[in-house]
Amino acid sequence: MNRELREFRRLERLCLEQAALSNMDLTRSGLLKVADDCRIAAEAIEAQTPRGGFASAVQALKLALIPTRIPGRHRH
Protein backbone atom coordinates (compact mmCIF):
# COMPACT_ATOMS: atom_id res chain seq x y z
CA MET A 1 0.00 0.00 0.00
CA ASN A 2 1.55 3.30 -1.00
CA ARG A 3 1.65 6.55 0.94
CA GLU A 4 -0.96 8.37 -1.15
CA LEU A 5 -3.44 5.55 -0.79
CA ARG A 6 -2.96 5.48 2.98
CA GLU A 7 -3.43 9.26 3.13
CA PHE A 8 -6.72 9.17 1.20
CA ARG A 9 -7.97 6.36 3.45
CA ARG A 10 -6.91 8.31 6.55
CA LEU A 11 -8.69 11.45 5.33
CA GLU A 12 -11.78 9.37 4.55
CA ARG A 13 -11.85 7.98 8.11
CA LEU A 14 -11.23 11.42 9.62
CA CYS A 15 -14.09 12.99 7.65
CA LEU A 16 -16.44 10.16 8.62
CA GLU A 17 -15.52 10.53 12.29
CA GLN A 18 -15.99 14.31 12.22
CA ALA A 19 -19.30 13.96 10.37
CA ALA A 20 -20.55 11.61 13.08
CA LEU A 21 -19.67 14.24 15.71
CA SER A 22 -21.14 17.20 13.83
CA ASN A 23 -24.48 18.61 14.88
CA MET A 24 -24.84 20.85 11.81
CA ASP A 25 -26.45 19.33 8.71
CA LEU A 26 -24.43 21.37 6.21
CA THR A 27 -21.14 20.51 7.90
CA ARG A 28 -22.07 16.84 8.16
CA SER A 29 -23.09 16.58 4.50
CA GLY A 30 -19.92 18.36 3.38
CA LEU A 31 -17.72 16.03 5.40
CA LEU A 32 -19.56 12.99 4.05
CA LYS A 33 -19.04 14.23 0.50
CA VAL A 34 -15.31 14.74 1.06
CA ALA A 35 -15.11 11.27 2.62
CA ASP A 36 -16.82 9.83 -0.45
CA ASP A 37 -14.42 11.68 -2.78
CA CYS A 38 -11.46 10.33 -0.81
CA ARG A 39 -12.88 6.81 -1.04
CA ILE A 40 -13.32 7.15 -4.81
CA ALA A 41 -9.77 8.46 -5.20
CA ALA A 42 -8.38 5.62 -3.07
CA GLU A 43 -10.27 3.04 -5.12
CA ALA A 44 -8.93 4.57 -8.32
CA ILE A 45 -5.39 4.34 -6.97
CA GLU A 46 -5.94 0.72 -5.98
CA ALA A 47 -7.16 -0.06 -9.51
CA GLN A 48 -4.05 1.41 -11.14
CA THR A 49 -0.61 -0.06 -11.54
CA PRO A 50 1.99 0.96 -8.93
CA ARG A 51 3.93 3.32 -11.24
CA GLY A 52 3.56 7.08 -10.88
CA GLY A 53 2.02 6.97 -7.41
CA PHE A 54 1.68 10.64 -6.51
CA ALA A 55 0.66 11.77 -9.98
CA SER A 56 -1.89 8.97 -10.08
CA ALA A 57 -3.30 10.01 -6.71
CA VAL A 58 -3.67 13.61 -7.83
CA GLN A 59 -5.31 12.53 -11.08
CA ALA A 60 -7.66 10.19 -9.21
CA LEU A 61 -8.73 13.00 -6.89
CA LYS A 62 -9.29 15.34 -9.83
CA LEU A 63 -11.45 12.73 -11.54
CA ALA A 64 -13.38 12.15 -8.33
CA LEU A 65 -14.11 15.87 -7.93
CA ILE A 66 -15.02 16.81 -11.50
CA PRO A 67 -18.58 15.40 -11.56
CA THR A 68 -19.41 17.07 -8.24
CA ARG A 69 -18.66 20.63 -9.28
CA ILE A 70 -21.59 22.98 -9.40
CA PRO A 71 -21.57 25.19 -12.47
CA GLY A 72 -20.97 28.82 -11.61
CA ARG A 73 -22.92 31.74 -12.90
CA HIS A 74 -21.62 33.30 -16.07
CA ARG A 75 -20.62 36.92 -15.86
CA HIS A 76 -21.71 39.15 -18.70
Side-chain angles (χ1 to χ4, degrees):
M1 189 181 291
N2 62 38
R3 187 179 79 215
E4 292 81 18
L5 178 59
R6 285 192 310 267
E7 185 65 11
F8 278 118
R9 291 297 187 191
R10 185 189 71 77
L11 288 172
E12 177 188 13
R13 282 190 307 273
L14 179 64
C15 288
L16 291 172
E17 290 168 3
Q18 291 301 311
L21 296 173
S22 177
N23 58 3
M24 294 177 56
D25 290 338
L26 184 59
T27 302
R28 186 180 318 108
S29 65
L31 287 165
L32 291 174
K33 179 61 186 146
V34 172
D36 190 50
D37 290 343
C38 288
R39 179 190 54 78
I40 291 168
E43 288 173 356
I45 292 169
E46 288 171 336
Q48 294 178 353
T49 58
R51 66 181 198 274
F54 183 74
S56 298
V58 170
Q59 182 63 25
L61 183 57
K62 285 180 183 177
L63 291 174
L65 295 175
I66 288 172
T68 63
R69 289 187 182 159
I70 299 171
R73 293 184 179 173
H74 297 286
R75 294 182 187 161
H76 297 295

